[in-house]
Amino acid sequence: MGIQIAPSILSADFARLADEAAAVSNADWLHVDVMDNHFVPNLTLGMPVVESLAKSTDLPLDCHLMIEDPDRWAPGYVEAGASSVTFHIEACRAPVRTAREIRAKGARAAMALRPATPIEPYEDLLGELDMVLIMTVEPGFGGQKFLDLCLPKIRRTRELLGKHGLDVWIEIDGGVSVETIERCADAGADVFVAGSAVYAADDPNAMIDKLRNLAEQSTAH
C-alpha cells in the first residue's frame, strides 16, 4: 500500500472525537491509543469509545493497546470495530495465539516494541504478524521528542522481513513530524503515527499530505 499516515487521536480534543476524526479525512488510518495506567503511566480510552468511533468514521481504526494482559483483551477490540490491533510484546504472554485470534476475527495483527526492546528475539514471530510497531518514544504520553536511537532498529527490522520474504508493514509511533519522517522512511518504515504534528496544524489534512509526500520522496530516493 506504500506510505500510510495514521493520525493519533491522543492529540485530539477528546470532547469532540467524531469531529476530530472527520478533520483528518485524508489519513489512511485513525490511530487509537488505549492505555490502562498499569502498563504505561496514563489512562486514556477503552473499548466503548472504540466502538463509538468505529460507528462515526469511515477511517479504519488502528488500535494500539498499551495495556497489561493484551492476550485477554485484544480480540475484543476487533469486535468493537478495530481493523488493526497492536499488542506490546513486553506485556503479551502468548503472542502467537493472540495474533492468530486477532487475524481470525478479521483484523490485522501487530506487535509493538518499546524503544529499548530489540527485534531480534522475535524474529520467529514475524510470520504471524501483519505489522511491527516500533516505538520511537517511550509509550504513555504524546508530544515527546523523537528518539534517533530507534532508527537502526527500524533498519534491522526491515532487513529481517526481507530475509524471510515477508510482506509486513513497519509502523513508527512517537515524535513523527516534518523534521523526522524522512529519516524513518529511509530506514524502512512505511506506516507513520503522527499526533501533535497533525492535530496542532492549522490544516490537519494538508499536514497529512505533506508528511506523506516527504516520506514518499525519501523512499523513492
Side-chain angles (χ1 to χ4, degrees), residues 87 89 95-96 99 103 109-113 118-134 153 156-170:
F87 56 84
I89 194 63
V96 172
R103 283 173 144 183
M111 171 181 72
L113 308 172
I119 184 63
E120 287 81 3
Y122 307 106
E123 179 178 353
D124 292 341
L125 297 181
L126 296 175
E128 300 287 340
L129 303 169
D130 299 293
M131 184 169 72
V132 176
L133 168 55
I134 295 175
K153 183 161 65 173
R156 291 196 302 272
T157 303
R158 180 55 67 197
E159 290 168 1
L160 287 176
L161 294 173
K163 170 185 172 182
H164 295 284
L166 295 172
D167 183 19
V168 175
W169 300 343
I170 297 178

Side-chain angles (χ1 to χ4, degrees), residues 142-181:
Q144 297 183 62
K145 186 178 179 181
F146 179 83
L147 296 173
D148 284 277
L149 59 86
C150 298
L151 288 170
K153 183 161 65 173
I154 298 171
R155 294 186 186 279
R156 291 196 302 272
T157 303
R158 180 55 67 197
E159 290 168 1
L160 287 176
L161 294 173
K163 170 185 172 182
H164 295 284
L166 295 172
D167 183 19
V168 175
W169 300 343
I170 297 178
E171 182 176 53
I172 61 163
D173 182 0
V176 173
S177 68
V178 294
E179 288 80 24
T180 61
I181 195 167

